[in-house]
Amino acid sequence: MALKSTIAEMLGGSPIRPLQQHMESVVACVDLLPKFVEAVIREDWTAAAEWRKQIVGGEHDADRLKKSLRKQLPTHLFMAVDRRDLLDMLQMQDKVANKTKDVSGLMLGRRMRIPPPMVDLFTRYVARTVAAAHQALKAIQELDALLDTGFRGRETAFVEGLLRELDHIEHETDTLQIELREQLMALERDWPPVDVMFLYQIIDWIGDLADRAQRVGSRLQVLVAK
Amino acid sequence: MDYGFLFIALACVFGLFMAWGVGANDVANAMSTSVGSRAITVKQAIIIAAIFEFAGAYLAGGEVTATIRNGMLDTASIADTPEILVFGMLGSLLAAGTWLLVASIKGWPVSTTHSIVGAIVGFGAVGIGMDAVHWSRIGTIMISWVISPVLAGSIAYGLFMSVQALILNTETPLKNALRYVPGYIFLTVFITAAVTFTKGLSHVGLGLSDVQAYILSALVAALVAVGGGFFIRRLKLDPAADHKFQFANVERVFTLLMIITACAMAFAHGSNDVANAVGPVAAVVGIVESGSIAASSMVPSWVLLLGAVGIVLGLVTFGQRVMATVGTRITDLTPSRGFAATLAAAGTVVVASGTGLPISTTHTLVGAVLGVGLARGIGALNMSVIRSIFASWIITLPAGAILSVIFFYVLRALLS
């Protein structure tokens, strides 16, 4: 016997909460990166492989949530947030997890060694990138409050403050990236050229990661501005 | 009328069946916003619904009944054979009740009001004659089906916008909630009380003039508002909390308002929808007692009581299970959003009942929830369900009509 209440059926599942959950899982995956990098710096490849496995698992979780949210958003939903914006946001979030997976894959696959003079800066670089992802999550967590206020006024100003902070963190990572490149340039003659090439690439990729976290924020900005 | 007692007994049984259908099918919808926003538990919803549905049906349910009975059919041509109307009314009750039963089992979102209107029209067109049906009157009722969701939607939109402007979207949402929520409580209780005192209660023998009724309503509303305000202050709220917790606290304040609004909704639903079941019963009773078709007579209060009991029975036996499924669904309906939708729906129903128009509670609620959604207050609404509601609008009328005609012939063959 089907027991249904029309009104309850009408309230399609909220798209906001799953979107937040997805971002949570993405950040959980990014959170493993410093631990992984630490193992790489120690050249403890068994530990690194272990962390890498967890990162891949985290990325899978995020993917699963992404697919289920997409399924939950059929075209017959009428939403407070524009459907396309929401799917864009989801994709942006997902790319953060994907990049984390790529970074860890390349570092482990190449048994990458970080030149000792660069270790400090490199660790900070990774930490700030992770901070950018956390800041993006913080902004996404405000989505339900934004819904409460109809995307206007006070709450919007608050979220914009969070997003400014995110831009600021991302800018810091840019500065760190430039410094790292300079350091590497000073060292590059003494290191195997191919390794140096890949180091440059990994510095770039981590920069991308911060960039993508910031882009999640930009998507949110678009929602808020409408 | 040697069959008099039998007719009345049958009318009571069928009326109870129909009232059971109203309780089983509709009450869960009327309470779904309150349960869905987690303001009340399923158990509390059932208790509130039982008390206030009963009160609404018994105290204010007389008004719409007259419309259902006299407004739709021209009974002049069968003045000599009043039993035709008796068979028709019995058939209509049975038809609408059956249709509701089928819909409840299938989970279709049909309207109890549409079922009985369709059934009575079906009987009228076939049993009396095409020209006996007041088609213009039917047109008015149909227009009200479009107008009522639109009206409820607009009110809900406005209400939610006002909640945003006054409370949610301010520097100090919690402080403003404490300030304005009693005002919303006043509004909720005033609307409900005003219609009850002016339109209902006549059979209870409380003869008030309109001015007296409004003064009394305002008094009752003020009392409840002051009590509510006092109650809110006693909640452990932390105004110094950061904004995230402010919202959580604001929703706690709205929870009280949601409960009061849920009571109003149950009351409105009872007063509006009991007529679907007792209207035809009252017609049969009137014919049997007077031996002729009265132009219009008071609905005997024991008939209203019968309907009220039937609704509560349906709620407890079947509606309870529907509500349990509502309680498990996770929606982003918060008390503040649910309140805007429910008050708009209840207000529309109450006012419509006051003017005697039989409107569908479910559709009013659908309109109201849509209104809050349009105000960007609800994350997502399922449009395909809304489409199926519209489809049920269309199909319920002929279904009720066809069933009614069949039952009419069967009953006439059996009892003549």
Side-chain angles (χ1 to χ4, degrees):
Chain A
M1 186 181 289
L3 291 171
K4 285 185 194 160
S5 155
T6 316
I7 308 294
E9 293 290 310
M10 194 177 134
L11 294 161
S14 164
I16 305 278
R17 189 65 206 123
L19 189 74
Q20 291 171 334
Q21 277 167 338
H22 177 261
M23 190 63 189
E24 282 161 23
S25 78
V26 166
V27 171
C29 171
V30 176
D31 258 342
L32 299 165
L33 199 56
K35 301 259 203 312
F36 167 82
V37 169
E38 201 190 325
V40 169
I41 289 168
R42 285 202 317 267
E43 293 181 37
D44 177 352
W45 301 114
T46 37
E50 191 49 47
W51 288 116
R52 153 80 184 164
K53 210 161 75 189
Q54 288 201 35
I55 287 174
V56 172
E59 196 270 341
H60 277 315
D61 286 345
D63 257 352
R64 227 174 1 124
L65 284 170
K66 177 182 73 176
K67 289 195 179 100
S68 80
L69 178 54
R70 275 188 185 156
K71 269 211 281 288
Q72 211 193 88
L73 295 185
T75 41
H76 58 242
L77 278 187
F78 164 85
M79 289 188 289
V81 176
D82 188 68
R83 184 189 160 73
R84 217 172 5 179
D85 288 340
L86 206 72
L87 289 171
D88 274 356
M89 180 89 101
L90 187 64
Q91 195 167 16
M92 282 329 305
Q93 291 180 178
D94 207 56
K95 279 185 172 170
V96 173
N98 289 346
K99 202 73 192 180
T100 310
K101 193 174 94 174
D102 292 349
V103 167
S104 60
L106 183 64
M107 286 177 92
L108 183 69
R110 297 229 11 117
R111 295 277 192 274
M112 201 174 268
R113 288 170 50 228
I114 312 292
M118 288 174 69
V119 163
D120 274 355
L121 206 53
F122 190 83
T123 311
R124 192 136 51 95
Y125 184 43
V126 172
R128 288 319 277 161
T129 300
V130 173
H134 273 276
Q135 185 67 18
L137 173 64
K138 219 188 229 173
I140 300 287
Q141 298 290 37
E142 291 299 319
L143 257 174
D144 42 347
L146 279 171
L147 190 65
D148 262 329
T149 56
F151 297 85
R152 269 187 307 276
R154 246 185 91 259
E155 177 63 20
T156 309
F158 178 79
V159 171
E160 277 167 353
L162 292 178
L163 294 178
R164 265 198 305 279
E165 175 63 12
L166 175 59
D167 289 355
H168 177 73
I169 295 171
E170 200 273 336
H171 185 73
E172 268 181 68
T173 61
D174 282 347
T175 317
L176 287 167
Q177 187 177 15
I178 292 164
E179 283 178 46
L180 274 168
R181 282 218 193 95
E182 281 173 357
Q183 274 192 335
L184 185 52
M185 205 165 89
L187 295 168
E188 66 187 23
R189 296 188 194 298
D190 315 327
W191 284 76
V194 176
D195 284 2
V196 172
M197 287 302 304
F198 276 109
L199 257 174
Y200 274 121
Q201 185 167 19
I202 216 76
I203 291 170
D204 250 4
W205 278 11
I206 293 171
D208 277 350
L209 187 54
D211 207 40
R212 285 179 176 190
Q214 187 207 13
R215 254 184 266 168
V216 170
S218 320
R219 297 304 323 175
L220 188 59
Q221 192 99 46
V222 170
L223 289 188
V224 170
K226 276 189 178 169
Chain B
M1 299 288 279
D2 39 341
Y3 277 119
F5 179 73
L6 179 66
F7 286 157
I8 291 186
L10 278 179
C12 287
V13 172
F14 294 171
L16 206 57
F17 176 46
M18 171 74 194
W20 179 90
V22 172
N25 201 298
D26 250 14
V27 176
N29 278 334
M31 301 305 287
S32 59
T33 43
S34 318
V35 177
S37 65
R38 301 278 180 279
I40 50 176
T41 63
V42 174
K43 204 168 169 181
Q44 288 166 327
I46 287 159
I47 294 165
I48 287 177
I51 295 169
F52 284 88
E53 290 274 346
F54 186 90
Y58 187 64
L59 297 177
E63 194 69 27
V64 187
T65 313
T67 311
I68 290 210
R69 226 171 73 220
N70 314 316
M72 296 195 300
L73 299 180
D74 181 1
T75 49
S77 61
I78 53 162
D80 307 332
T81 51
E83 64 269 23
I84 297 263
L85 189 60
V86 173
F87 298 144
M89 288 297 161
L90 292 178
S92 296
L93 280 175
L94 206 48
T98 307
W99 178 244
L100 284 180
L101 185 64
V102 171
S104 299
I105 288 168
K106 293 275 184 193
W108 294 335
V110 306
S111 152
T112 51
T113 310
H114 294 188
S115 311
I116 195 74
V117 168
I120 291 179
V121 169
F123 145 73
V126 174
I128 308 179
M130 283 302 267
D131 49 356
V133 180
H134 286 177
W135 295 107
S136 63
R137 185 84 193 128
I138 309 289
T140 316
I141 291 173
M142 281 189 165
I143 288 168
S144 81
W145 289 338
V146 178
I147 288 174
S148 62
V150 170
L151 186 64
S154 316
I155 297 173
Y157 183 90
L159 263 177
F160 187 67
M161 285 295 192
S162 81
V163 170
Q164 277 182 351
L166 295 176
I167 298 171
L168 296 175
N169 203 355
T170 55
E171 289 295 337
T172 52
L174 187 55
K175 221 173 95 187
N176 288 340
L178 294 175
R179 183 184 310 161
Y180 291 115
V181 163
Y184 286 122
I185 294 178
F186 181 87
L187 188 70
T188 309
V189 181
F190 181 76
I191 294 173
T192 318
V195 173
T196 311
F197 290 141
T198 52
K199 296 293 178 186
L201 294 183
S202 38
H203 61 276
V204 187
L206 195 70
L208 291 170
S209 74
D210 276 4
V211 179
Q212 280 173 317
Y214 286 126
I215 291 170
L216 188 60
S217 309
L219 273 176
V220 172
L223 268 175
V224 179
V226 169
F230 183 73
F231 189 81
I232 292 170
R233 297 245 182 282
R234 287 192 44 210
L235 288 173
K236 293 255 181 297
L237 300 170
D238 182 9
D242 77 21
H243 81 285
K244 193 83 186 162
F245 288 104
Q246 285 245 342
F247 276 113
N249 281 331
V250 166
E251 290 300 351
R252 281 176 61 198
V253 176
F254 267 105
T255 300
L256 175 72
L257 184 53
M258 185 80 236
I259 293 168
I260 291 172
T261 315
C263 299
M265 185 73 217
F267 188 93
H269 177 259
S271 70
N272 185 65
D273 288 42
V274 71
N276 299 330
V278 303
V281 179
V284 172
V285 172
I287 293 165
V288 171
E289 285 183 343
S290 67
S292 65
I293 300 169
S296 104
S297 58
M298 272 307 305
V299 182
S301 46
W302 66 266
V303 174
L304 276 176
L305 194 64
L306 180 90
V309 169
I311 288 181
V312 174
L313 274 179
L315 161 74
V316 173
T317 52
F318 194 90
Q320 194 169 353
R321 294 164 58 194
V322 182
M323 241 185 260
T325 61
V326 179
T328 54
R329 290 198 55 130
I330 302 213
T331 63
D332 52 12
L333 200 63
T334 58
S336 63
R337 300 164 195 166
F339 147 74
T342 317
L343 178 57
T348 309
V349 170
V350 159
V351 172
S353 304
T355 54
L357 268 182
I359 65 164
S360 162
T361 320
T362 304
H363 297 153
T364 318
L365 254 173
V366 168
V369 172
L370 258 174
V372 178
L374 283 171
R376 291 181 96 182
I378 291 177
L381 292 173
N382 196 335
M383 294 314 265
S384 70
V385 173
I386 294 165
R387 271 200 295 276
S388 77
I389 293 168
F390 279 110
S392 87
W393 250 355
I394 311 291
I395 195 160
T396 295
L397 289 172
I402 292 164
L403 284 173
S404 164
V405 169
I406 294 169
F407 285 128
F408 166 68
Y409 281 131
V410 170
L411 286 167
R412 200 174 59 175
L414 285 179
L415 297 172
S416 295

